[in-house]
Amino acid sequence: AVVSTQSTGGFKALGLEYFFTVGADEVRAWTIQKHTKAPQAAGKIHSDMERGFIKAEVYKYEDIVEHKSEAAVKAAGRYRMEGKNYEVQDGDILMIKFNVTDAKKK
């Protein structure tokens, strides 16, 4: 417990936060600096996601714990769309929408 508390304290002292991505069979935690905008957070997953960022569908970890499912989070009005200027918050769960097209060949 002491090591966990020290790790969390050190993480916060460095200005770091987590956001999560959720798939059918996987949950991943990603580390970002505090005040990171959504496109740059998406870039932690893959550079194409930052380059082609459209929007992020967002809800909080606490919301999924309370409501038990993504559908229930949506029904409770806690699921929202955020754009390029959104600062990702510690504990956010993100679904990144992006589109990357190849440059047209001449």
Side-chain angles (χ1 to χ4, degrees):
V2 172
V3 172
S4 177
T5 302
Q6 289 174 342
S7 296
T8 302
F11 203 76
K12 298 294 182 195
L14 293 172
L16 300 175
E17 301 179 320
Y18 289 112
F19 75 93
F20 300 94
T21 54
V22 179
D25 59 350
E26 177 182 54
V27 174
R28 293 238 8 213
W30 303 88
T31 304
I32 55 171
Q33 287 291 140
K34 192 171 184 156
H35 307 297
T36 298
K37 303 280 188 190
Q40 289 70 46
K44 294 290 185 178
I45 301 167
H46 194 284
S47 60
D48 283 350
M49 294 178 92
E50 180 174 1
R51 191 163 50 97
F53 182 88
I54 298 169
K55 66 181 175 182
E57 298 177 2
V58 182
Y59 56 100
K60 299 279 186 200
Y61 172 78
E62 293 82 8
D63 294 331
I64 199 73
V65 169
E66 179 182 346
H67 298 287
K68 309 293 186 228
S69 74
E70 189 175 295
V73 170
K74 287 179 181 179
R78 303 293 298 158
Y79 195 94
R80 62 192 190 283
M81 307 297 170
E82 297 289 354
K84 294 180 179 184
N85 291 321
Y86 177 69
E87 278 189 13
V88 177
Q89 303 297 307
D90 195 33
D92 277 353
I93 298 172
L94 303 181
M95 169 70 77
I96 307 294
K97 301 294 183 181
F98 71 104
N99 184 26
V100 176
T101 56
D102 290 332
K104 293 186 178 185
K105 295 180 183 178
K106 295 183 178 183

